[in-house]
């Protein structure tokens, strides 16, 4: 088993009473409150650079949404560094890339997980043209289909500053959770990400600041974005 295969524990599942899990639940609550006027059903996570915690955040959000009795599907649309098949211990033989190239149909790409109410579409084999794939009309149609079948559609994406994939997916999502590693991302980088999201009229639902030095030591902070 490779390092990445056993190093992705899901705290919301393993430790439902921990302060970190509570923090993920409060993100969910904040999103629910921010969607009183406009329906927020399709939510993506992104960040400025790799390794800031996008996948960790969206997978834990998926668990806490599923635990609130919502029917949830999580799509691994980071077709560059996919991780959801490791996190949820699923096969990645078929997934998003296979769906978009019509090698498999939706029913065979949506996999059940050990978490009830939570389904996952893994990345599928890494394609040579991820940006084109997520920009396709087929991707939009897929998201619309999932809107009908699930209460909440969550999407993991690549980092904003590296490639255009996340900006494209933002045009198909109702809102964005931005995950920033406060130790790593400088203000100008955060502003650049904000600008790119604004360009496509993305709604930033909130910012998860990882790696925050706080007295209570949770290393983690969320604030609403306005
Ligand atoms: N809030 C957090 N507290 C501690 N470690 C975290 C947190 N969020 C992410 N990590 C760790 O940081 C690493 C990168 O996270 P990951 O979610 O894979 O980043 P990304 O998807 O943005 O590349 C992982 O090892 C993950 O376990
Ligand atoms: Mg990731």
């Amino acid at each position: 088993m490779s390092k990445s295969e056993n190093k992705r524990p899901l705290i919301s599942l393993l430790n439902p009473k921990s302060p970190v899990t509570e923090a993920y639940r409060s993100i969910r609550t904040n999103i629910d409150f921010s969607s009183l006027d406009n329906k927020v059903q399709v939510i993506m996570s992104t960040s400025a650079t790799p390794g800031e915690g996008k996948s960790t955040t969206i997978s834990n959000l998926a668990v806490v949404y599923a635990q609130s009795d919502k029917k949830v599907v999580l799509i691994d649309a980071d077709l560059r560094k996919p991780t959801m098949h490791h996190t949820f211990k699923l096969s990645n033989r078929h997934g998003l890339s296979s769906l978009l190239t019509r090698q498999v149909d939706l029913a065979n790409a949506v996999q059940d997980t050990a978490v009830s109410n939570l389904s996952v579409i893994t990345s599928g084999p890494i394609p040579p043209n991820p940006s084109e794939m997520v920009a396709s009309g087929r991707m939009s149609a897929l998201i619309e289909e999932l809107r009908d079948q699930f209460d909440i559609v969550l999407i993991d994406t690549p980092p904003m500053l590296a490639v255009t994939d996340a900006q494209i997916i933002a045009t198909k999502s109702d809102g964005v959770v931005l995950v920033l590693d406060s130790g790593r991302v400088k203000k100008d980088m955060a502003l650049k990400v904000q600008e790119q999201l604004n360009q496509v009229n993305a709604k930033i639902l909130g910012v998860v600041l990882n790696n925050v030095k706080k007295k209570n030591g949770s290393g983690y902070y969320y604030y609403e974005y306005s």
Side-chain angles (χ1 to χ4, degrees), residues 83-151:
T83 54
M84 290 308 162
H85 53 294
H86 294 314
T87 306
F88 292 94
K89 300 186 170 57
L90 299 169
S91 159
N92 196 26
R93 205 155 70 87
H94 303 301
L96 181 60
S97 63
S98 352
L99 264 175
L100 296 176
T101 51
R102 298 176 191 277
Q103 292 173 41
V104 69
D105 60 17
L106 186 55
N108 289 309
V110 176
Q111 300 187 64
D112 290 338
T113 68
V115 185
S116 59
N117 296 322
L118 175 56
S119 303
V120 169
I121 299 176
T122 63
S123 67
I126 292 178
N129 54 345
S131 307
E132 256 173 73
M133 281 206 154
V134 297
S136 65
R138 178 81 191 110
M139 179 75 182
S140 307
L142 170 66
I143 291 174
E144 291 314 306
E145 227 170 314
L146 294 171
R147 277 184 195 273
D148 290 338
Q149 293 186 21
F150 293 87
D151 299 316

Side-chain angles (χ1 to χ4, degrees), residues 17-224:
K17 297 211 162 89
S18 82
V20 177
T21 306
E22 190 48 51
Y24 288 117
R25 278 193 291 265
S26 74
I27 297 175
R28 182 193 67 202
T29 306
N30 276 292
I31 291 172
D32 289 345
F33 277 121
S34 72
S35 62
L36 291 179
D37 290 332
N38 299 301
K39 193 172 182 195
V40 177
Q41 186 184 8
V42 179
I43 302 162
M44 61 171 257
S45 73
T46 193
S47 63
T49 61
E52 295 188 64
K54 290 178 294 297
S55 302
T56 305
T57 300
I58 201 80
S59 52
N60 280 285
L61 257 186
V63 171
V64 297
Y65 262 114
Q67 287 171 341
S68 71
D69 270 341
K70 292 276 194 331
K71 200 169 174 240
V72 182
V73 65
L74 170 61
I75 308 172
D76 195 341
D78 186 344
L79 295 176
R80 296 162 192 274
K81 281 199 176 154
T83 54
M84 290 308 162
H85 53 294
H86 294 314
T87 306
F88 292 94
K89 300 186 170 57
L90 299 169
S91 159
N92 196 26
R93 205 155 70 87
H94 303 301
L96 181 60
S97 63
S98 352
L99 264 175
L100 296 176
T101 51
R102 298 176 191 277
Q103 292 173 41
V104 69
D105 60 17
L106 186 55
N108 289 309
V110 176
Q111 300 187 64
D112 290 338
T113 68
V115 185
S116 59
N117 296 322
L118 175 56
S119 303
V120 169
I121 299 176
T122 63
S123 67
I126 292 178
N129 54 345
S131 307
E132 256 173 73
M133 281 206 154
V134 297
S136 65
R138 178 81 191 110
M139 179 75 182
S140 307
L142 170 66
I143 291 174
E144 291 314 306
E145 227 170 314
L146 294 171
R147 277 184 195 273
D148 290 338
Q149 293 186 21
F150 293 87
D151 299 316
I152 300 284
V153 180
L154 298 172
I155 311 177
D156 194 18
T157 73
M160 292 284 300
L161 296 184
V163 289
T164 56
D165 308 24
Q167 199 185 20
I168 296 165
I169 295 167
T171 66
K172 306 171 197 267
S173 304
D174 302 329
V176 177
V177 173
L178 188 56
V179 182
L180 297 176
D181 182 329
S182 59
R184 197 138 36 108
V185 172
K186 301 287 170 276
K187 192 177 173 193
D188 60 327
M189 294 159 82
L191 288 173
K192 180 85 191 145
V193 169
Q194 182 189 21
E195 186 191 313
Q196 289 185 4
L197 289 170
N198 287 343
Q199 272 172 16
V200 294
N201 293 319
K203 180 174 161 65
I204 302 178
L205 297 168
V207 179
V208 174
L209 271 189
N210 267 333
N211 226 344
V212 179
K213 300 214 168 27
K214 266 199 343 188
K215 275 189 220 122
N216 68 17
S218 79
Y220 168 84
Y221 184 66
Y222 177 80
Y223 60 89
E224 272 226 60

